[in-house]
Amino acid sequence: MEQARDSRHHVVIVGAGFGGLEAAKALGKAPDVRVTVVDRYNHHLFQPLLYQVATAVLNPADISAPIRSVLKARNTQVMLAEAKSVDPRRKVLVVEGGEISYDSLVVATGAAHSYFKHPEWAQVAPGLKTLEDAVRIRERVLTAFEAAERESDPVRQREWMTFVIIGGGPTGVELAGALSYMTRHSLPKDFRRIDTRQARVLLLEGLPRVLTAYPEALSERAKRDLEELHVEVRTGALVTGIDAEGVTVGEERIPTRTVMWGAGVAASPLVRSLDVPLDRAGRVMVTPQLTVPGHNDVYVIGDVAAVAQENGKPVPGIAPAAMQMGRHVAKTVRARLRQKPLQPFRYHDKGSFAVIGRGYAVGMLFDKWRMTGRAAWMVWAGVHIAYLIGFRNRLSVMLNWGYTFFTQGGRDMRLITGKVAPRMPALDQGPSLPVVTAAPALPVAQPAPVH
Amino acid sequence: MEQARDSRHHVVIVGAGFGGLEAAKALGKAPDVRVTVVDRYNHHLFQPLLYQVATAVLNPADISAPIRSVLKARNTQVMLAEAKSVDPRRKVLVVEGGEISYDSLVVATGAAHSYFKHPEWAQVAPGLKTLEDAVRIRERVLTAFEAAERESDPVRQREWMTFVIIGGGPTGVELAGALSYMTRHSLPKDFRRIDTRQARVLLLEGLPRVLTAYPEALSERAKRDLEELHVEVRTGALVTGIDAEGVTVGEERIPTRTVMWGAGVAASPLVRSLDVPLDRAGRVMVTPQLTVPGHNDVYVIGDVAAVAQENGKPVPGIAPAAMQMGRHVAKTVRARLRQKPLQPFRYHDKGSFAVIGRGYAVGMLFDKWRMTGRAAWMVWAGVHIAYLIGFRNRLSVMLNWGYTFFTQGGRDMRLITGKVAPRMPALDQGPSLPVVTAAPALPVAQPAPVH
């Protein structure tokens, strides 16, 4: 079949994260524009709540929405494809299996984990960026407790019940708090031979304090709140080694079977093909119109763009910043088509929060007011529910949160989808299995004798 | 640590399906018994609703519950382990990595797919027994539509939009109806270039009618209802070949990229180690006490047991039958301990149903009354909600069903967790992509020109 050449301005958006989706939505009503959104996943992911999937409070579907159902504008089409490179001279985006030509390109491919110079750590210390990551962490944590329950050697049992989180940024802090809460509230009644409340959760940060993006007083408060939740917070702890049996911090060896990574991110590698200078984190240093220097039809937004605020500080890699950039690019594209003057991008800091366990948070509102404790959490929860895309998800998240509040922990998400993990310990390690001392309130049933 | 030998009678239950769980629950209050439940998964699965996970109506967590949270009795412990064999002389269950000794053993390991003499079909035609299966089918179906949307060749596009389900039993019928509904109600608005309502769903059955366990009139009705849902039902269709590009039925070749298997099941292989006669489906022909001939301390229940009803018909492989067997074994174990007389197992047929698309079903009530249409569906839905274990799941399922009813399809479960599937077609197949003719009501946006 032949077809007429479409005369509308073709905007190709790579990545349906917060930035890309917002740009697409803002262009959905433009009559002289058509939009193609390319993503390697079929869903938009609400990344700020990933740690709740990892700690079995929410379902994967609670924090994701099919891109196709979010972008319903008639001028917009969605393509499931992995972007490989950009050729700005020919004005094409190269994807796995083909090419897509653009009039304007918006690169919104986000960031991935960075293990600095240790790519081998990725295997033993999964990070938390995708649903697969979250489900993997959830299954590793749940399997560790199953292994501890089976284990007869008290030393090894202790290793299974030690969890190390590397990186004291928001991801690490939220994961540590939620994990510690889970070990003390959702899990204890499930096990007979181990007391999950004796699990150790360690948070290791190389710098002198956690949450370095916040003022020192908030870092201090976050540390205290985490310690009250029984998280062992270690600052100035430089990790020099990670393997399947432990973590090395300077001279010290911490034996553990479960390590999680929240320490470093690097911009998506797609922008390397643009052949422009990148900063140390691999981000493009964009113009005030968020374009690539030398190519004013290629926009870069979100975590893959390095942008300075008016006060000189960098725009943080958070969802609201990406969304603002997405909307700004949509405005710029339309202004160009109408030959109107262009505005430089300006970041409006409405605030940001990091959650510490159930019902507590720290954060800044409008870059002015510090908030802590329950009040900060209330603001955080309200903002997150409001932003969650789609009525259904919002209802489901509220239901799950409500349930968690009233019953101490989202019981039914504790799902290991796969069969017994290969890393389970052998059973035949003694004539009878020892009982790990349980707290007095928790009755311990007799274990099965194992021969 | 040393520990005193436990004097209670130790019942080991392998498999936490409907039968095993029911046995464990019924033994949970027995003072002279302790119970160990062994399963290779950490969750009980409500298998009858698996097809709704496969068709993106329900979440995996909606139809599963952690075994540990279901079995809270103090005399019960749960062990995540894969059973390998039974040694009835030494009275031990051999699991991966060790052995567990028992006083009574209950084998409740269920059934798996059987591809008859074609194990190679398992790769191209996934069945529907586990959550992994359901998620895999969901992702294959959704990816097929994504591939069709990308495909430029109309013949190949048609192949991507052809879905073949092999086996006209309840699983095949339910999957075919739900899939056809999905293509006509939940998906159409999502795509721009294909009209998902033109997808073909074929149900192939080798015997002369579908749902052979029911009276002929119900099979007829089911076929008619399926055809009204645009499912192409072919009976007497013997499949002789399946590969990645199609299905062969006698002389005919049906080109398709997505095949699903609901044709055969075989009992779990664990019972082979018992060294007793098995029937053709690999099931143990048990005594009236549901024990293995020659070993009255080894019980076999559920889909892995071959039991005859009083009318000579076999007890069907459905959840209520397994649950009745589980309760009967618990009674027998307790009666033996008290040296009371034993009762033979008797199956009470309360009925069974097969759902056909949204709001329709066929079935039998108390082995007497035929039910069809909406009435049958209402009974089916009521029974299933009532049986679903755990308040949370029940609420969540009702919420999701309610949503599906009012909005035509559970939008947000349409999740492909992984990245672009490797089987996606190449993009570079012509100077411009053709538009698949859409039904008139559906506006089609211009496709992107692809060079």
Side-chain angles (χ1 to χ4, degrees), chain A residues 1 3 34 40 42 68 74 76-77 97 146 192 392 400 412-414 416 420 427 433 445 448-449, chain B residues 3 34 40 42 68 74 76-77 97 146 192 392 400 412 414 416 420 427 433 435 445-446 448-449:
Chain A
M1 265 181 278
Q3 62 173 83
R34 68 194 175 92
R40 55 187 180 173
N42 84 329
R68 292 189 183 283
R74 294 195 180 168
T76 304
Q77 67 171 357
E146 294 290 344
R192 294 286 173 276
R392 166 40 145 14
N400 286 333
D412 296 312
M413 310 301 166
R414 293 203 304 276
I416 305 176
V420 176
L427 262 181
L433 288 166
Chain B
Q3 61 173 83
R34 68 196 175 91
R40 56 188 178 169
N42 84 329
R68 294 189 182 283
R74 294 198 180 167
T76 304
Q77 65 172 359
E146 294 289 344
R192 293 286 172 276
R392 165 46 145 8
N400 286 333
D412 297 311
R414 294 204 303 279
I416 305 175
V420 176
L427 260 183
L433 289 167
V435 181
Q446 291 299 318

Side-chain angles (χ1 to χ4, degrees), chain A residues 1 3 5-6 8 10 34 36 40-43 59-61 64 66 68-69 71-74 76-77 79-82 95-99 101 131-132 146 149-150 190-193 391-393 395 399-400 403 411-420 424 426-428 432-435 443 445-451, chain B residues 1 3 5-6 8 10 34 36 40-43 59-61 64 66 68-69 71-74 76-77 79-82 95-99 101 131-132 146 149-150 190-193 391-393 395 399-400 403 411-420 424 426-428 432-435 443 445-451:
Chain A
M1 265 181 278
Q3 62 173 83
R5 174 88 192 163
D6 193 315
R8 292 176 297 176
H10 187 203
R34 68 194 175 92
T36 301
R40 55 187 180 173
Y41 292 100
N42 84 329
H43 54 275
N59 271 310
S64 54
R68 292 189 183 283
S69 70
L71 296 177
K72 289 178 186 159
R74 294 195 180 168
T76 304
Q77 67 171 357
M79 185 168 285
L80 192 65
E82 178 140 27
V95 301
E96 183 87 57
E99 293 182 352
S101 63
L131 282 179
E132 287 163 307
E146 294 290 344
E149 177 91 348
R150 271 185 63 158
D190 277 0
F191 293 89
R192 294 286 173 276
R193 290 161 54 194
F391 158 76
R392 166 40 145 14
N393 285 348
L395 197 70
L399 192 78
N400 286 333
Y403 184 90
R411 306 203 69 81
D412 296 312
M413 310 301 166
R414 293 203 304 276
L415 199 58
I416 305 176
T417 316
K419 273 190 272 184
V420 176
M424 290 291 274
L427 262 181
D428 49 354
S432 68
L433 288 166
V435 181
Q446 291 298 319
V450 170
H451 305 285
Chain B
M1 263 180 278
Q3 61 173 83
R5 174 88 192 164
D6 193 315
R8 291 176 297 176
H10 188 202
R34 68 196 175 91
T36 301
R40 56 188 178 169
Y41 291 101
N42 84 329
H43 54 275
N59 271 310
S64 54
R68 294 189 182 283
S69 70
L71 297 177
K72 289 180 185 159
R74 294 198 180 167
T76 304
Q77 65 172 359
M79 187 169 284
L80 192 65
E82 179 140 26
V95 300
E96 183 85 58
E99 292 182 352
S101 62
L131 282 179
E132 285 163 309
E146 294 289 344
E149 176 92 347
R150 271 184 63 158
D190 278 1
F191 292 89
R192 293 286 172 276
R193 291 163 53 194
F391 157 77
R392 165 46 145 8
N393 285 349
L395 197 70
L399 193 77
N400 286 333
Y403 185 90
R411 307 201 70 80
D412 297 311
M413 310 301 167
R414 294 204 303 279
L415 199 58
I416 305 175
T417 316
K419 272 190 271 183
V420 176
M424 290 291 273
L427 260 183
D428 49 354
S432 69
L433 289 167
V435 181
Q446 291 299 318
V450 170
H451 304 285

Side-chain angles (χ1 to χ4, degrees), chain B residues 385-399:
Chain B
I385 289 176
Y387 268 88
L388 262 185
I389 291 160
F391 157 77
R392 165 46 145 8
N393 285 349
R394 220 173 293 171
L395 197 70
S396 179
V397 167
M398 277 192 287
L399 193 77

